[in-house]
Amino acid sequence: MVERVTATEETIRLINQLKEEHGELMFHQSGGCCDGSSPMCYSKGDLLIGDQDVYLGEIGGTPFYIHKSQYEYWKHTQLIIDVVDGRGGMFSVEGVHGKRFLTRSRAFTDEEYQQIKSQF
């Protein structure tokens, strides 16, 4: 099965650290005005998921959602969540660590994209 979202090892380490501090987490990539299209990490339940949000999968045992309008732009790609130094979104829990999550991507092969379309 092709994963629509994955994470680097450094990202998984940071997710595990954040889980120890905050409990269960969730990710959302909105493409909104304030933090652009940065993936935002919240304590589970701090952001309500709605009909316009698409569940992409899990990274580090943490659910990852994307707004439907953003999904339309990214649906041909696998999202790879990475972590870099710097301040992230003001509501994202990793910011106090001087880190921020970053989305990288790679285009699906034709075969992978066919598998993704059949899963959705």
Side-chain angles (χ1 to χ4, degrees), residues 10-80:
E10 187 175 358
T11 298
I12 299 300
R13 282 193 295 274
L14 182 55
I15 289 170
N16 289 335
Q17 179 183 352
L18 293 172
K19 282 180 176 180
E20 289 179 18
E21 297 170 12
H22 300 278
E24 290 186 66
L25 303 170
M26 62 179 289
F27 279 90
H28 189 269
Q29 183 152 338
S30 68
C33 64
C34 299
D35 294 306
S37 59
S38 296
M40 302 289 285
C41 184
Y42 301 96
S43 292
K44 189 172 184 178
D46 279 358
L47 178 73
L48 296 177
I49 298 302
D51 293 345
Q52 297 296 308
D53 296 307
V54 177
Y55 173 75
L56 290 186
E58 291 190 356
I59 56 173
T62 302
F64 193 102
Y65 299 88
I66 189 170
H67 190 273
K68 185 187 266 186
S69 63
Q70 283 294 89
Y71 179 73
E72 287 303 312
Y73 291 113
W74 296 79
K75 67 183 176 185
H76 297 91
T77 65
Q78 180 180 59
L79 301 186
I80 304 158

Side-chain angles (χ1 to χ4, degrees), residues 2-6 54-56 71 77-79 108 116 120:
V2 179
E3 294 177 302
R4 293 187 283 175
V5 62
T6 65
V54 177
Y55 173 75
L56 290 186
Y71 179 73
T77 65
Q78 180 180 59
L79 301 186
F108 286 123
I116 291 293
F120 203 149

Side-chain angles (χ1 to χ4, degrees), residues 94-110:
E94 80 283 0
V96 298
H97 294 280
K99 302 283 184 183
R100 69 182 185 92
F101 292 109
L102 176 75
T103 300
R104 302 182 191 280
S105 66
R106 73 164 185 87
F108 286 123
T109 65
D110 290 340

Side-chain angles (χ1 to χ4, degrees), residues 113-120:
Y113 189 59
Q114 289 306 314
Q115 288 178 28
I116 291 293
K117 284 175 37 179
S118 71
Q119 293 171 8
F120 203 149

